[in-house]
Amino acid sequence: MLKRIAEHIVPPLLLGCLDTEIAYAAALQIATQLGDAEFAALGPSAVRRAVDDRLTGGPLGTTHIALEGDGTVLVHQRSQWAAYVDGQGQTVASEHAGTPVLEVGWLAAFRVVPLVSDSPRANANATKRFALHGHMRHCYLDTLDAGLKTMLTRYPSSLDDDIAHRLASVFEKARIRLEPRTHDVRRSRTPLPIPHDTARRMAASATSATGTCARPRAVQITTPSQASGVRGVGVPALIHEQLAVSDFCDLCVTRVRQLILKSATEEDFDSGGMQHQMATPRFRFYNEAIVAYRKDIPESLPPPRKYLAFVLAALKYSTGNCVEMALTAAAFAQLKTQDFFSMRGHHSDGVKAEIYGPAFYDPQLGGSADHFFCVLNLVVNGHPYKMAVDPWMWNSMPCDAYLRALKDHPMPPITQPDTLFVTEKDMTDAINHPDFTEPVRSVFNRYAI
């Protein structure tokens, strides 16, 4: 079961290291903590010390694992008790039937961090080393019972300090590097904020014709736990496979947006729907950078070398529009597909990437649609999947549903109600040619970490 949990944890950790083996090793470290009796008992033990062991019976424990889009894995431990023994020896339960008399919860965060060499002259080509970091974000205690509140206020040490101190000891034994505590507002998880005004684009394309919302970019796994370890509810094999496919496509979107931070068309769209060209200084700066590096790419280059140069320039300057993002997503998928699914316990035959664009595209024609995205053709455990991956829109979903969403929710002038998106044959042939797929690994090794 712990290995299955580790497989789910790998995708966000990959964002910190781009190395599947390192991410899987870190995921196993985190999963091992979930099975460690001392880690599982941190909250219950602290509460028992605070109330002189007056709680009756074992707690109902739950562990929630949230996978964040910024590469962080959040582990939320929660324990609930039904009753306690008061000063007169009477068993006291909650006044509200079916609710706990006391609940304690705390949140730990984990991430993979590259180790910085002590030597300023370290070889840039040396093997990169990483460490698993962790810290406690916050702790909370809930009870409506006056007697328990009195006992807890008399406790000489604060509950969160008690848990944090013992968590540091657990991390030291597990060789997890302890980071200073943060002081987040109490909540079960901290979602990654959506930069700029991309919420508009996500809302526009997040609903299919059937009204089904697209899967969010963070996944949550829930496992009921006991103080002695973890037990989980099995996931049907096909559902587990489908989740793996969705996770992989989400990873492609998130990683590309981390690598390509600046987009002229995004800035123009967010500043006024592209109705006022050259509207902001940032647009001018981003646009000049993109125009400059595109001009530096010789027109005489064969298409595979030409589009490889697009990816290299976008990564080098962290700047690109939808074309660069689509090409980079295709390259990332080609590099990571087999390792990703293998670590999840699935067999993949690799990926055939396509670039989709408008069937009738003329950049000189005002009002025409101007948008490109990546489509991944995957075969996982013998089952075919055709997934749209659109980093510019911050979205991924089955290709048919995405095409319907683009049609039902147009965003002029990026997309129009009558825009027909089809495979862009020249770009698709180029990105599947060995002159693109083989050298692109060295491009990522140079610029993507």
Side-chain angles (χ1 to χ4, degrees):
M1 181 59 199
L2 295 181
K3 287 185 178 180
R4 179 62 62 86
I5 292 174
E7 292 168 2
H8 281 278
I9 296 174
V10 167
L13 296 177
L14 271 173
L15 300 180
C17 64
L18 271 183
D19 187 297
T20 308
E21 290 186 7
I22 291 173
Y24 187 65
L28 280 176
Q29 267 190 291
I30 297 172
T32 300
Q33 292 307 300
L34 303 182
D36 180 78
E38 187 176 1
F39 182 86
L42 285 172
S45 298
V47 171
R48 288 193 182 98
R49 285 189 290 272
V51 298
D52 296 326
D53 208 17
R54 290 181 177 273
L55 296 164
T56 61
L60 172 64
T62 308
T63 300
H64 298 270
I65 305 173
L67 312 183
E68 299 288 86
D70 62 352
T72 304
V73 175
L74 300 181
V75 176
H76 178 205
Q77 297 271 24
R78 183 177 65 185
S79 302
Q80 299 173 323
W81 285 265
Y84 75 101
V85 178
D86 64 13
Q88 286 72 45
Q90 300 294 316
T91 299
V92 179
S94 172
E95 295 180 357
H96 306 281
T99 62
V101 70
L102 175 68
E103 176 179 317
V104 62
W106 58 278
L107 183 70
F110 298 88
R111 63 193 181 101
V112 174
V113 177
L115 295 176
V116 179
S117 172
D118 295 331
S119 171
R121 301 173 63 104
N123 184 355
N125 295 320
T127 302
K128 295 179 175 63
R129 299 172 61 230
F130 299 84
L132 179 63
H133 285 217
H135 69 274
M136 190 177 88
R137 285 202 174 175
H138 65 255
C139 171
Y140 69 87
L141 191 66
D142 276 348
T143 181
L144 297 175
D145 187 270
L148 274 177
K149 286 182 180 179
T150 301
M151 281 188 256
L152 291 166
T153 54
R154 291 174 182 168
Y155 188 52
S157 172
S158 69
L159 193 75
D160 54 347
D161 287 340
D162 190 337
I163 295 176
H165 174 72
R166 294 173 192 275
L167 180 64
S169 175
V170 171
F171 280 179
E172 184 178 3
K173 294 176 186 175
R175 303 186 70 178
I176 298 173
R177 298 196 174 197
L178 183 68
E179 294 182 336
R181 286 175 56 192
T182 59
H183 299 283
D184 288 353
V185 181
R186 182 192 136 183
R187 51 188 171 186
S188 62
R189 67 185 298 270
T190 308
L192 180 68
I194 299 174
H196 303 304
D197 196 18
T198 54
R200 284 205 314 271
R201 293 195 298 280
M202 290 181 66
S205 56
T207 307
S208 70
T210 60
T212 304
C213 290
R215 185 176 167 275
R217 284 177 287 151
V219 179
Q220 183 166 287
I221 310 163
T222 305
T223 57
S225 65
Q226 306 296 331
S228 60
V230 172
R231 66 179 175 85
V233 180
V235 181
L238 184 58
I239 295 177
H240 184 251
E241 174 188 299
Q242 293 168 344
L243 286 174
V245 171
S246 294
D247 285 349
F248 179 69
C249 295
D250 288 347
L251 174 64
C252 292
V253 170
T254 305
R255 189 59 183 144
V256 170
R257 290 313 305 245
Q258 288 183 325
L259 296 170
I260 303 177
L261 300 172
K262 296 161 288 188
S263 167
T265 50
E266 180 178 73
E267 171 64 23
D268 202 19
F269 185 90
D270 290 343
S271 64
M274 304 185 80
Q275 295 174 6
H276 307 286
Q277 292 289 332
M278 313 297 282
T280 69
R282 278 194 304 189
F283 168 80
R284 290 195 295 271
F285 178 73
Y286 299 164
N287 194 57
E288 287 170 4
I290 295 170
V291 169
Y293 73 60
R294 286 182 180 179
K295 282 185 176 179
D296 287 341
I297 300 172
E299 286 292 333
S300 59
L301 278 179
R305 298 275 303 280
K306 173 184 175 182
Y307 294 119
L308 178 68
F310 270 61
V311 174
L312 187 153
L315 294 178
K316 181 178 180 180
Y317 299 106
S318 297
T319 306
N321 291 332
C322 59
V323 171
E324 287 83 3
M325 291 183 186
L327 292 168
T328 305
F332 181 81
Q334 289 167 340
L335 293 174
K336 295 298 178 181
T337 298
Q338 290 184 313
D339 283 348
F340 178 94
F341 287 104
S342 176
M343 287 299 180
R344 288 289 194 94
H346 303 291
H347 173 73
S348 170
D349 295 326
V351 61
K352 166 72 182 299
E354 299 177 88
I355 302 298
Y356 269 48
F360 308 102
Y361 172 63
D362 182 352
Q364 306 303 320
L365 183 63
S368 64
D370 179 8
H371 186 60
F372 295 84
F373 57 92
C374 175
V375 171
L376 302 181
N377 295 277
L378 298 156
V379 178
V380 181
N381 302 328
H383 299 132
Y385 294 89
K386 191 179 184 73
M387 303 291 292
V389 173
D390 191 344
W392 195 90
M393 293 277 195
W394 286 87
N395 220 329
S396 67
M397 66 173 69
C399 186
D400 287 347
Y402 194 55
L403 293 174
R404 288 196 300 270
L406 290 174
K407 180 178 177 61
D408 294 343
H409 303 277
M411 292 179 297
I414 300 298
T415 65
Q416 304 286 354
D418 59 350
T419 302
L420 175 65
F421 284 94
V422 297
T423 303
E424 214 293 333
K425 188 177 185 306
D426 289 344
M427 296 177 82
T428 297
D429 290 345
I431 63 175
N432 288 285
H433 192 280
D435 287 347
F436 180 93
T437 58
E438 293 174 6
V440 79
R441 182 176 295 277
S442 63
V443 172
F444 266 78
N445 288 342
R446 183 175 181 183
Y447 293 109
I449 297 180

